[in-house]
Amino acid sequence: MSQEPNPPSLEREPVEGVCPRCGAAELFRYPVNSEGGWFDVVKCRSCLFSVSRDPGPRLGPVRLLSDLL
């Protein structure tokens, strides 16, 4: 019996605080890719409001050994 491979998953890091839009205490930090490249965002899990959006690494979650030198 063959098993289906697990789809890729993204680690979401919980962040302390409350959402300024809905008041929920469900903030998470994770990388996203948009028209401007990769960004590290903090978003509310309840209403998807973006609390912060900072430029991230050029390849997002992929870390090259050359970036560590």
Side-chain angles (χ1 to χ4, degrees), residues 7-19:
S9 63
L10 180 65
E11 296 285 330
R12 289 176 169 85
E13 175 187 344
V15 177
E16 288 188 31
V18 295
C19 176

Side-chain angles (χ1 to χ4, degrees), residues 10-61:
L10 180 65
E11 296 285 330
R12 289 176 169 85
E13 175 187 344
V15 177
E16 288 188 31
V18 295
C19 176
R21 178 180 282 168
C22 72
E26 296 186 38
L27 302 180
F28 288 86
R29 175 179 288 116
Y30 53 94
V32 296
N33 192 8
S34 70
E35 70 281 351
W38 283 97
F39 291 87
D40 292 324
V41 299
V42 174
K43 293 181 85 67
C44 174
R45 183 177 273 180
S46 293
C47 71
L48 298 179
F49 179 73
S50 292
V51 177
S52 69
R53 184 176 187 232
D54 300 315
R58 59 189 168 114
L59 296 178

Side-chain angles (χ1 to χ4, degrees), residues 1-5:
M1 189 185 300
S2 66
Q3 289 185 343
E4 293 288 322

Side-chain angles (χ1 to χ4, degrees), residues 56-67:
R58 59 189 168 114
L59 296 178
V62 176
R63 305 289 183 202
L64 299 176
L65 182 59
S66 61
D67 291 340

